[in-house]
Amino acid sequence: MRFAVVGCGVIGDLHSKTIKSLPDTELAVVVDEVADRAAAYGERFGVESSSAYDEVLRRPDIDTVAVCVPSGLHTELGVAALKAGKNVIIEKPLDVTPEAADAIIAASEESDRVATVISQHRFDPASQVVAEALRQEKFGRITSGSADIAWWRSQGYYDSGDWRGTWKLDGGGALMNQGVHSVDLLTWFLGQPVEVFAWTDALAHERIEVEDTAVATIRFESGALGTVHGTTAAYPGLTARIQVLGAQGSAVIENDKLTYFHSAVKGADAPAYGAGAGDNQAADVLPGEVAGGVSASADPKALSDAHTIQYRDFLDAVAQGRDPLVTVRQAARTFDVIWAIYASARSGAPVRITPRKA
């Protein structure tokens, strides 16, 4: 499969390296509206470069486009690629407005090509174990969950690009850009959200339109309740933590590692005060999981190899004629939650979320 990577920034670099690392993919061309930047990337990766996206889309030797531009341009470039008969991989988030989300959903469902949105942490071993436990109802009725992202981004980070920290192209701050993965996992685990109430603010950064701190409560269709806390103002950058809590078991994922897992023995009476944190089955269900390493909490370039696993899922989906694990419509649900959080913060009132059709 021959790829064009569009957008020669930090994320474009990661996608290019991922494509180069896989045995059945080829990086054919890198594209950026700034010709010199594209040329520098092309030279570094030993491939063609271009600043003419339309010309690249007309090339019959390009099978797939990886969209790695600022978030507010994702739909524009993704729709064009699908209409040109290309498969599409879109870096998170899906886009920055509901209208854009609707447009890319429509284009993907009208096309016979495969489209996916990067939500690589669904492919982490810890996430897969929790998702499977939920499918098997090992935690009983899910009562609540939380996503807590306490990260740091400097003022220099926001000043490094004129699109960063803007509603038009970044689409949001600590939640839309950094916390989107944690919100995606929470909604993947707990199901359809139906209502949110939130507060957001910019408390530690200047010259940004968006939030660096957000808190929200979520009510899910199942009746479960959830909380979201996301910030890029927690120096020096702490953890991303997901909790799934049920009447017969619970799980905690911290910095992509399964740090706690407990499922009650079926049919046994639960102790009056519970098993406690000491009864941790994580080592049994996911051997070898250890904490450590540099995370994206402080360094946005310190990303896991889960991108590679998601690329493999995408390639298998194309070969097998099936949906990828992360469809555009699923990514839109995560977007809808974050958009509703922003709407609630602006209005000071709860916001209902209308479920999208399956």
Side-chain angles (χ1 to χ4, degrees), residues 103-329:
I104 190 67
I105 288 172
S108 68
E109 294 181 351
E110 290 167 4
S111 172
D112 61 354
R113 301 303 175 179
V114 175
T116 192
V117 179
I118 293 295
S119 296
Q120 77 270 21
H121 292 296
R122 290 194 187 192
F123 297 86
D124 293 334
S127 302
Q128 290 287 314
V129 164
V130 174
E132 181 60 25
L134 289 164
R135 281 192 289 270
Q136 296 182 19
E137 299 183 345
K138 287 188 174 182
F139 301 144
R141 178 170 182 176
I142 301 305
T143 56
S144 62
S146 65
D148 190 336
I149 313 98
W151 284 9
W152 171 254
R153 293 293 183 266
S154 69
Q155 185 65 47
Y157 165 84
Y158 288 105
D159 292 342
S160 66
D162 57 7
W163 65 278
R164 293 194 186 278
T166 66
W167 286 113
K168 182 178 180 180
L169 292 179
D170 217 356
L175 287 188
M176 186 68 85
N177 198 313
Q178 285 77 30
V180 60
H181 292 302
S182 296
V183 175
D184 180 69
L185 287 180
L186 188 66
T187 58
W188 189 39
F189 293 155
L190 268 64
Q192 176 63 50
V194 295
E195 189 174 33
V196 304
F197 185 78
W199 295 268
T200 66
D201 210 337
L203 300 173
H205 297 91
E206 301 174 344
R207 299 181 296 281
I208 63 172
E209 300 171 355
V210 299
E211 87 290 353
D212 62 17
T213 305
V215 293
T217 55
I218 304 176
R219 186 164 56 87
F220 291 85
E221 196 170 55
S222 67
L225 302 175
T227 62
V228 171
H229 164 237
T231 182
T232 53
Y235 184 82
L238 285 77
T239 61
R241 180 182 175 96
I242 310 294
Q243 293 192 123
V244 176
L245 310 172
Q248 292 181 291
S250 301
V252 179
I253 298 173
E254 194 162 2
N255 287 347
D256 311 330
K257 306 296 182 183
L258 186 66
T259 58
Y260 185 81
F261 183 102
H262 183 82
S263 176
V265 177
K266 286 191 179 296
D269 291 333
Y273 294 97
D279 195 356
N280 188 351
Q281 303 163 0
D284 299 322
V285 298
L286 195 54
E289 276 289 284
V290 294
V294 178
S295 79
S297 64
D299 182 0
K301 298 186 292 297
L303 298 167
S304 74
D305 64 356
H307 266 80
T308 302
I309 303 172
Q310 183 163 358
Y311 260 78
R312 289 189 183 124
D313 174 74
F314 167 81
L315 294 170
D316 288 345
V318 173
Q320 298 167 13
R322 62 167 175 84
D323 285 338
L325 177 62
V326 186
T327 65
V328 171
R329 188 171 286 280

Side-chain angles (χ1 to χ4, degrees), residues 46-108:
V47 300
E48 293 179 57
S49 64
S50 175
S51 59
Y53 184 55
D54 290 347
E55 292 179 9
V56 170
L57 290 184
R58 288 194 290 269
R59 288 175 49 167
D61 63 320
I62 301 300
D63 305 301
T64 301
V65 174
V67 177
C68 304
V69 296
S71 305
L73 301 173
H74 285 179
T75 285
E76 178 183 340
L77 273 62
V79 168
L82 287 166
K83 289 184 175 179
K86 314 300 182 186
N87 303 302
V88 176
I89 297 177
I90 300 174
E91 181 54 48
K92 60 79 182 169
L94 183 62
D95 206 285
V96 301
T97 68
E99 294 78 14
D102 291 343
I104 190 67
I105 288 172
S108 68

